[in-house]
Amino acid sequence: MLKLGVLDQSPVIPGETAADAMARTLELAKTVERLGYTRYWVSEHHDTPGLAGSSPEILIAAIAAHTSRIRVGSAGVLLPHYSPYKVAENFRVLEALYPGRIDLGIGRAPGGMPIASEALRYGRPKEREEHFAEMLRDLGGFLSDWLGPGHRFEGVRATPLVDTAPELWLLGSSGFSADRASELGGAFSFAHFINGDGGHEAVRRYFANYRPGPLGASPQANVCVIVICADTDEEAERLASSTDLRLLLLEQGQFRRPFPTPEEAAGYPYTDWDRMRIQANRRRMIVGGPEKVRAQMLEFSKGYGVEELIVLTYTYDFQARLRSYELLADLFGLGR
């Protein structure tokens, strides 16, 4: 049976505050654990008022404290901004508090505009791509208490010292992260919700080239996709209309604009180009009533060759988000 997890970006809906968004995240996490979902991942965005999740490590601690079984993780910590040693210690603390439940997902995107990235690095130069693999190796070494003889950090240990370690996932929307994951032994999650093209080849190459390494010992992959499920196809399309507009506005650099309502989407003056972009963005989404969504998700997972999907439900209305996750849990028999 298909396994399902959740990606939550803690969206701030007009009329609510960022604190409300955090409360919604905790409520959703408790709900999907009860429904039988396997993972709950939270994102990292900076200087983005519409998304409240800027510190996944802290949010993971809160979510894990309010749940008891579901795995909780980052999607992801943006490693080029940070010290691998500090990231290792943060996640060792989480693993000590919630052993066997923590996922450390790593990304390399900026997570915000260039000036926010500059503020995060605080004077440090931007890491080049070749340095990313080195940072990953060091991160794996700190978490496994092994950095080879002659390594500049040989003997340095990430504390607290605990018997278990978080699962290490590389997140990506291209083949780059898939290749690094296969080279270094990490698990891989393809961000289909960001890029609807090229994922099948990236996942295929990951499995074909995988070898154990500092990030793990066996291959594991999933795919994250936007899913909007409602009681009818018509209601799902109505909800998705605001998501269509949201994605379009983000493409245009309107990061600070509030999440649009379906009514705003219905009255928006779309150009022919806008409509073409919306059609293209639908490749990143699965939208419909229960039977339509179930068939498409099964076909989607089979096409990718994975047994787990991470679901991002992007809707203006929180109750509609909850309903979508409830319908999916029923469709796939989660928790039975």
Side-chain angles (χ1 to χ4, degrees):
M1 183 61 71
L2 189 63
K3 295 186 292 184
L4 300 180
V6 172
L7 170 60
D8 182 11
Q9 296 180 325
S10 304
V12 181
I13 302 302
E16 296 189 348
T17 66
D20 294 328
M22 292 294 186
R24 298 292 198 194
T25 283
L26 295 179
E27 182 180 349
L28 182 59
K30 290 186 287 187
T31 298
V32 298
E33 178 180 64
R34 175 178 54 79
L35 292 173
Y37 285 76
T38 56
R39 304 178 195 275
Y40 197 94
W41 286 355
V42 293
S43 61
E44 178 178 338
H45 293 87
H46 300 285
D47 193 30
T48 306
L51 300 173
S54 59
S55 180
E57 303 92 333
I58 295 176
L59 198 48
I60 287 167
I63 294 167
H66 284 80
T67 55
S68 60
R69 299 181 308 279
I70 195 169
R71 295 192 66 89
V72 189
S74 56
V77 169
L78 305 178
L79 187 60
H81 294 321
Y82 310 119
S83 153
Y85 182 58
K86 183 58 176 174
V87 172
E89 291 205 318
N90 284 341
F91 277 79
R92 274 244 168 122
V93 169
L94 290 169
E95 186 68 24
L97 292 169
Y98 310 104
R101 294 183 57 205
I102 302 300
D103 293 335
L104 170 49
I106 294 294
R108 65 186 184 100
M113 299 301 288
I115 192 169
S117 296
E118 184 179 347
L120 285 164
R121 294 192 175 104
Y122 208 71
R124 292 188 300 110
K126 182 179 180 180
E127 299 290 348
R128 297 194 300 270
E129 283 192 351
E130 59 266 29
H131 290 163
F132 184 63
E134 180 183 358
M135 296 177 79
L136 289 169
R137 290 189 189 94
D138 287 352
L139 175 62
F142 286 129
L143 287 171
S144 62
D145 288 323
W146 186 88
L147 291 170
H151 192 285
R152 58 178 174 156
F153 298 128
E154 181 183 359
V156 177
R157 308 185 75 185
T159 53
L161 303 179
V162 292
D163 294 331
T164 58
E167 283 188 7
L168 272 162
W169 289 78
L170 265 67
L171 318 173
S173 57
S174 70
F176 178 88
S177 292
D179 292 341
R180 302 295 82 74
S182 63
E183 292 166 1
L184 300 173
F188 176 61
S189 181
F190 184 77
H192 188 96
F193 75 100
I194 293 175
N195 180 13
D197 299 310
H200 297 85
E201 173 59 21
V203 173
R204 185 204 64 77
R205 198 162 69 229
Y206 165 77
F207 280 116
N209 298 332
Y210 182 89
R211 59 181 183 268
L215 304 187
S218 60
Q220 185 177 188
N222 63 38
V223 180
C224 182
V225 59
I226 298 170
V227 180
I228 299 174
C229 186
D231 290 285
T232 65
D233 290 347
E234 293 75 17
E235 175 61 10
E237 286 293 335
R238 188 186 75 85
L239 294 168
S241 66
S242 65
T243 306
D244 290 332
L245 180 55
R246 167 75 168 172
L247 295 177
L248 181 66
L249 295 173
L250 290 175
E251 284 186 353
Q252 297 172 353
Q254 299 188 49
F255 300 105
R256 294 179 175 274
R257 184 160 172 168
F259 202 116
T261 67
E263 291 72 27
E264 288 175 296
Y268 190 81
Y270 296 101
T271 66
D272 290 342
W273 173 258
D274 292 340
R275 296 186 187 282
M276 186 173 68
R277 289 305 310 151
I278 287 173
Q279 184 176 6
N281 284 335
R282 279 297 182 104
R283 295 200 298 268
R284 300 152 59 184
M285 303 165 63
I286 295 173
V287 177
E291 293 309 313
K292 180 179 179 180
V293 164
R294 185 178 189 278
Q296 289 189 8
M297 289 179 69
L298 289 173
E299 181 181 3
F300 182 87
S301 62
K302 182 179 179 181
Y304 265 103
V306 298
E307 297 179 350
E308 181 180 45
L309 299 181
I310 304 298
V311 175
L312 169 60
T313 298
Y314 234 174
T315 63
Y316 172 82
D317 180 72
F318 180 69
Q319 293 305 316
R321 290 176 69 200
L322 286 178
R323 181 58 178 159
S324 183
Y325 286 118
E326 289 170 352
L327 288 169
L328 295 181
D330 185 59
L331 287 173
F332 292 100
L334 305 185
R336 294 179 186 171

